[in-house]
Amino acid sequence: MTLSTKSPLRYRALLPLLLTWLLLLLSFLLPVSNQSTPPYLDLSASYMDIIYLISESGKYGVPAIVLLVIALLLSRQKMPLTQKIKETVTVISLTSVLAGGGALLNEHIIKTQLQSPRPNIVWLAGEDGKGPLGMSADAFYAQGDKEVRRTMLARVLTQHAEMVPLTPLIKKHWAHETGYSFPSGHSFSAMFFASFMLMLGASLISSKRYWLLYSLLPWALAVCISRPLLGVHTPMDVLIGALQGLMLGLLAWFINIKLISRIAKANN
């Protein structure tokens, strides 16, 4: 099994990636997909915990995808082990830099500059700050760092449990997510790794199990859709975060393929 930069599969993989983002856009035409406007889902219903777990897989599922990348690279046959190890280290290192860099850019530059409040915070603030939060959304974000806001929000959600019915998991999630909203980090992560992994797999021209990688697309789509359903992001947050992930994932694939080609030539 060899890694090719000219596999026709990569062109067949690119179209489903673009269609996934388009499907994400179309999904937000359904009113129920946005918890910032009615009709609202019942966030105290047990099935919402499933949506929460899907959402969190966008963050905690990354190690499993990294292991899949390693297995994909090391399982190739008719190739020296030293070459496979060099390529694996290259892919993991560069991908970590791009994924981590994109996440840091969103979290510490874009979000802090735009300062877009989360929709659940806006809802809790209410009109003129008369909601359960007891202050405006802007006043809430001015209270201190994330830890200060988490303590404050956890107290509000406990005191107003009847007014804000949430499952224990979602209550904990709301209390934790006190940063700014735009763009969605979960959506960025899910689309980044789905895009990168699908395109990397498309370069393994002799892989008979390549179709299994397409399962990453509905997974990434589900993670993205779950964020507005939980009330912690708007559709625009998700669409832009997913688009960032898609573009940076393709960039990670392109650079990695070029570097791997050089490693392969050096070993021939």
Side-chain angles (χ1 to χ4, degrees), residues 124 132-133 149-168 170-172 174-175:
L124 288 169
L133 196 59
R149 297 196 295 267
R150 284 167 183 165
T151 300
M152 180 183 301
L153 186 55
R155 182 171 62 250
V156 168
L157 294 175
T158 298
Q159 293 174 345
H160 299 278
E162 293 185 0
M163 294 178 61
V164 191
L166 305 170
T167 71
I170 295 178
K171 176 182 177 181
K172 183 178 180 180
W174 274 30

Side-chain angles (χ1 to χ4, degrees), residues 39-82:
Y40 301 109
L41 292 176
D42 181 5
L43 294 179
S44 65
S46 58
Y47 67 82
M48 291 302 301
D49 282 342
I50 298 175
I51 295 176
Y52 164 77
L53 293 174
I54 292 173
S55 173
E56 288 300 274
S57 72
K59 178 167 56 176
Y60 296 111
V62 169
I65 296 178
V66 172
L67 290 176
L68 183 59
V69 171
I70 294 174
L72 192 67
L73 292 170
L74 294 180
S75 64
R76 288 170 293 152
Q77 301 175 0
K78 299 179 181 181
M79 185 180 296
L81 180 60
T82 54

Side-chain angles (χ1 to χ4, degrees), residues 149-212:
R149 297 196 295 267
R150 284 167 183 165
T151 300
M152 180 183 301
L153 186 55
R155 182 171 62 250
V156 168
L157 294 175
T158 298
Q159 293 174 345
H160 299 278
E162 293 185 0
M163 294 178 61
V164 191
L166 305 170
T167 71
L169 283 177
I170 295 178
K171 176 182 177 181
K172 183 178 180 180
H173 188 57
W174 274 30
H176 180 79
E177 296 285 6
T178 58
Y180 290 109
S181 185
F182 181 89
S184 167
H186 284 69
S187 302
F188 165 79
S189 177
M191 281 300 294
F192 174 89
F193 284 101
S195 303
F196 170 70
M197 192 62 204
L198 191 65
M199 293 300 291
L200 185 65
S203 300
L204 298 174
I205 58 174
S206 60
S207 175
K208 297 179 181 179
R209 298 180 180 177
Y210 171 70
W211 63 270
L212 291 172

